Each structure stands twice: as structure tokens, then as C-alpha cells.
Amino acid sequence: PTITPQVAQSYLQSYGDSCAFDALHFETMLGTRVLTVLSLQFFQVHDLFATFEIPAAVLQEFTHLMEKGYMKTNPYHNAIHAADVLQAFHIMALCVNQKKRDTLNQQDMLAGLLASIIHDFEHPGFSNRHLIRTSHPIALRYNDISPLECHHVAESFQV
């Protein structure tokens, strides 16, 4: 059966704020760009576009470039995983703020959502230990100190 954008939107409205959300299923429904769609949704829900005067088109372009940097051939550290982490942060933040109002402020929300989007950007599929032991260029660049984490952040800042 063909999945329409309306069906995908209905799924997001039904499960986007739930632990029952399935990023793999949602990606199958959309066919592509699950990280971008979720980013736009959660920035809207948390009123970050207005608060920080971020044009939606800028976030859309940024997340599209982030998605391109997540390797589709990486079975785990890919854009669907980033979308799953993004959605998990979103529901965690909702739960925290529901228990104690405004524990996470707008700046915390922006930082958490952006961190979720970029956290494994350009992940090569190997551990820090492997990169260091094989003298991988990423490990050499960051002097064997948390090379993947440094790489994810530094490269996302280049976007």
C-alpha cells in the first residue's frame, strides 16, 4: 500500500510524543528525510523558531545536509538513528518539564535537539578504540582524544 504524506503526518501526531514511536517505521512511511521532518516538527512544538528567530527553511537545509553526512551504509550510526535519538530527547524533555515545570528552558531545548541531530554526524562505523589502534586519519587529527566525538561536532560546525 502507498503511504501518503497525510498518513505519515497522522502517525507523527499519534506517536511523536510517545515511547511507542518507531523511527524505522516512520522512515519507511516517509521514504526519506526522517531527521528533517522530525527536526521541523520538534522545533515547532517547542517554539524554537520564534524564540531564536530561526527560519524554518534554514533548519530544513541544515538537517538535510546533516542527513547527507550520515552514511546510509552504516547499519547503526545513520540518519534514522539520529532521528530516533532526536525523538527520544523530545519525549524525555516533555516528561522532565511535565514533572517539574520549565526544568529545561528554551536554550536547553535548542541545545538538546541540535546535539541529537549532530551527535553521530559522519560516523565511519568504527569505535574510537579501533580508529586509534589503526592510526585512522580521524584519530590522528584529534590526537587520539575522543576522535569520533570531536569529529562529529567539528564537521557539523562546517555545515
Side-chain angles (χ1 to χ4, degrees):
T2 303
I3 303 296
T4 65
Q6 294 80 10
V7 171
Q9 185 62 33
S10 176
Y11 180 83
L12 182 56
Q13 288 174 346
S14 297
Y15 296 102
D17 295 345
S18 165
C19 290
F21 181 82
D22 182 341
L24 289 170
H25 178 66
F26 191 58
E27 192 270 341
T28 301
M29 294 175 86
L30 288 177
T32 186
R33 302 193 69 177
V34 65
L35 184 59
T36 297
V37 170
L38 288 180
S39 298
L40 291 167
Q41 174 74 16
F42 298 149
F43 269 63
Q44 183 68 41
V45 166
H46 296 289
D47 199 32
L48 300 178
F49 292 124
T51 301
F52 295 102
E53 299 179 2
I54 301 169
V58 170
L59 179 67
Q60 185 172 357
E61 178 64 18
F62 174 73
T63 54
H64 176 66
L65 293 170
M66 288 291 105
E67 283 185 299
K68 288 172 69 175
Y70 278 94
M71 298 176 196
K72 291 180 182 180
T73 56
N74 189 325
Y76 182 72
H77 296 101
N78 54 43
I80 299 168
H81 165 67
D84 194 39
V85 170
L86 179 68
Q87 192 270 341
F89 175 81
H90 164 71
I91 61 168
M92 183 273 312
L94 291 177
C95 291
V96 166
N97 280 346
Q98 189 174 43
K99 291 217 183 266
K100 188 172 180 194
R101 188 150 182 84
D102 298 325
T103 300
L104 298 175
N105 62 32
Q106 295 297 91
Q107 193 171 12
D108 297 328
M109 293 305 304
L110 179 66
L113 293 173
L114 286 175
S116 299
I117 292 166
I118 70 171
H119 84 280
D120 275 334
F121 183 65
E122 292 187 351
H123 198 296
F126 302 105
S127 68
N128 279 329
R129 185 176 180 166
H130 175 79
L131 297 180
I132 292 166
R133 286 186 172 188
T134 60
S135 296
H136 190 281
I138 292 174
L140 295 175
R141 180 177 183 192
Y142 297 106
N143 202 25
D144 297 341
I145 300 170
S146 304
L148 286 171
E149 291 73 17
C150 291
H151 179 77
H152 303 320
V153 172
E155 291 305 308
S156 66
F157 284 178
Q158 296 300 313
V159 171

